[in-house]
Amino acid sequence: IYRHVWLNISDPLYLDPWQTFITTPEVSDSQATIQIQTDIINTHPTSHTFTLVSQIKDKDGNTVGTASSEKTIDQTTSLTQTCDISSPNLWSPDHPDLYTLEQIIQIENQTIDSQTIPFGIRKIEFSPNWGLKLNGQRIKMKGACWHHDAGPVGAAVPHDALIRRFKILKAMGCNAIRTAHNPFAPEFYNLCDQFGFM
């Protein structure tokens, strides 16, 4: 075992791990639409009614968007919520501004499950004529290839070693990373967002 391991203990009705997807179908300098798709699992023997509350917070912790949905389910359901954010801070390699999605499931005003997910608001476009656009601006990917290990340190990479690598690549002028053929640790992707790497 060379990565973090968690044991999650939950209520029989809970947020399905890794099954919340945040997209930004509409993005401009004046407004962004955030779409949140969340899977909820119910393993109770009977149907249950719950409320899913989603809050979007900026980097200062201010709530900039809220959505609430009530649903009765027997087993598993997928809920889609949308929030509009005015004057969003758009994510880019030069300005890696991040927001945080905070979600809770409530039954009779009691919180039974919750999760927090960081994300960036950005618009990505591809064309054979002009290549890649990020937030409406043409951008070139200047990157490096990266394997999941840390050389002589091995596969159990300390967090400080990851941060050191990101700082070195940033100082070199890199804005993108090509990963190897195996899945990387969640901490790697979070640091890509924080440091501004595509």
Side-chain angles (χ1 to χ4, degrees):
I1 297 175
Y2 56 87
R3 291 181 183 168
H4 297 299
V5 177
W6 294 271
L7 175 63
N8 293 324
I9 301 171
S10 71
D11 186 89
L13 193 149
Y14 59 94
L15 294 157
D16 192 358
W18 313 109
Q19 293 301 312
T20 297
F21 303 96
I22 305 167
T23 56
T24 52
E26 299 292 333
V27 176
S28 68
D29 291 333
S30 59
Q31 183 172 299
T33 299
I34 313 301
Q35 184 170 290
I36 309 157
Q37 180 184 322
T38 309
D39 286 0
I40 295 99
I41 296 177
N42 177 26
T43 59
H44 287 283
T46 59
S47 63
H48 271 61
T49 301
F50 68 92
T51 302
L52 175 65
V53 180
S54 298
Q55 289 188 325
I56 297 174
K57 298 191 175 182
D58 63 17
K59 61 184 177 182
D60 297 320
N62 301 312
T63 301
V64 295
T66 302
S68 180
S69 305
E70 186 174 338
K71 184 97 172 171
T72 301
I73 61 170
D74 294 321
Q75 293 180 328
T76 302
T77 192
S78 182
L79 283 177
T80 300
Q81 300 172 311
T82 57
C83 292
D84 289 328
I85 296 177
S86 300
S87 303
N89 294 317
L90 302 185
W91 184 96
S92 70
D94 293 331
H95 301 283
D97 292 306
L98 293 175
Y99 289 82
T100 302
L101 169 66
E102 294 182 359
Q103 288 187 304
I104 60 171
I105 290 181
Q106 292 180 325
I107 295 179
E108 297 178 353
N109 294 321
Q110 180 181 356
T111 298
I112 60 167
D113 199 8
S114 64
Q115 67 178 355
T116 302
I117 303 172
F119 71 99
I121 299 175
R122 51 202 157 197
K123 182 178 181 180
I124 300 171
E125 302 169 272
F126 292 96
S127 168
N129 299 320
W130 37 253
L132 170 65
K133 280 186 180 180
L134 180 65
N135 303 326
Q137 302 294 319
R138 289 180 67 182
I139 186 170
K140 291 189 176 181
M141 299 178 86
K142 297 175 251 179
C145 296
W146 189 333
H147 277 264
H148 75 98
D149 63 0
V153 177
V157 184
H159 199 256
D160 290 346
L162 283 175
I163 292 174
R164 178 178 178 272
R165 277 185 160 185
F166 277 108
K167 287 180 177 178
I168 291 171
L169 289 175
K170 200 72 174 178
M172 289 171 50
C174 289
N175 65 9
I177 295 173
R178 178 189 179 273
T179 61
H181 50 272
N182 52 306
F184 276 49
E187 294 80 17
F188 167 84
Y189 297 108
N190 288 336
L191 287 171
C192 281
D193 286 341
Q194 292 172 30
F195 277 92
F197 284 89
M198 296 180 283

